[in-house]
Amino acid sequence: MNQISRSLPPSLKSAIDEAVRSLHQRVPAAIGCVVATVDGRLVAQVVDNGADPQRIAAMIGSMVALGETIGREVRIDRSDYVVVNALNGILLAQRVPARRELFVVSTLARTTTNLGILLHETRTTAAEIGRAVDAWLDHYQAAAAAAAAAH
């Protein structure tokens, strides 16, 4: 377990872990799911094919950021996701939508998968994680406000 995983509140870490496991189970051709911080720290993972989840985490934040930059530079606006379509698999990565964009989710799948299904399920998982992050932020901010009011 890495530092970011240890510093996440248990309820948020549990929600992210469950979302990753659920995504992996919903997509029959999925061979991996990784959630990382935008700066490349591993948060949660299920990887079946021997790929190193730490290395995936280190790359996907940069990959999504580069896709967003390219989208702006070529005047097509911010990208929603990035796909690597390789000989023996597909990697789809996207930022988790939340008030604070802290995480990136990626799904690794066999080439036999339907890209539309992969995109839909990855987006659904990213939105689920985003809701968990926002709920945690709401709770944290309310607790901080209550503590400030008590003093």
Side-chain angles (χ1 to χ4, degrees), residues 75-126:
R75 308 287 193 259
I76 58 173
D77 213 349
R78 180 177 167 174
S79 68
D80 287 333
Y81 58 90
V82 177
V83 175
V84 175
N85 190 12
L87 236 49
N88 294 311
I90 300 168
L91 177 82
L92 188 141
Q94 76 170 67
R95 193 177 297 271
V96 171
R99 287 195 313 269
R100 294 195 54 210
E101 294 183 329
L102 304 171
F103 303 105
V104 177
V105 63
S106 69
T107 308
L108 178 62
R110 292 177 188 84
T111 55
T112 57
T113 193
N114 177 298
L115 186 57
I117 290 171
L118 187 65
L119 175 59
H120 172 75
E121 294 298 341
T122 302
R123 279 185 171 165
T124 298
T125 299

Side-chain angles (χ1 to χ4, degrees), residues 11 21 28 33 66 76 78 84 96 107 125 131 137 139 143 145 149:
S11 61
R21 282 191 301 273
C33 305
L66 181 59
I76 58 173
R78 180 177 167 174
V84 175
V96 171
T107 308
T125 299
R131 286 189 298 274
L137 286 170
H139 174 76

